[in-house]
Amino acid sequence: MQVTVRDNNVDQALRALKKKLQREGVFREAKLRRHFEKPSEKRKRERAEAVRRHRKVLRKRMEREGF
């Protein structure tokens, strides 16, 4: 990943880098890999994430349709 520094503005470049890393999920991945996750816990977490995503899609759809 690459971020350019313009006009010696390192703070702005760091913010841009952090935003890119956040979007890619690097911080989340690092947090998950700190400790071993049992396969059953992984399945449970992934299932909960899928439910959360699905509910979010439904919520957005309801807002668009005006319910």
Side-chain angles (χ1 to χ4, degrees):
M1 194 161 301
Q2 184 176 5
V3 176
T4 58
V5 178
R6 298 183 192 143
D7 300 327
N8 286 333
N9 196 346
V10 177
D11 292 331
Q12 185 178 7
L14 276 174
R15 278 198 307 271
L17 177 65
K18 285 181 183 178
K19 193 179 292 186
K20 282 185 177 185
L21 290 173
Q22 182 72 30
R23 250 185 265 129
E24 291 292 322
V26 173
F27 294 126
R28 190 169 188 279
E29 182 74 22
K31 183 179 177 184
L32 287 173
R33 289 177 183 256
R34 282 191 192 133
H35 302 287
F36 177 73
E37 185 176 25
K38 288 171 42 178
S40 60
E41 292 173 347
K42 183 177 180 181
R43 280 193 304 271
K44 186 176 178 182
R45 177 183 51 81
E46 288 176 348
R47 195 174 297 129
E49 289 172 358
V51 167
R52 219 173 292 124
R53 278 194 310 272
H54 182 68
R55 285 184 182 157
K56 184 177 180 180
V57 168
L58 290 178
R59 202 169 40 246
K60 296 280 186 181
R61 190 177 301 155
M62 295 298 267
E63 286 177 8
R64 262 188 275 119
E65 294 175 0
F67 287 102

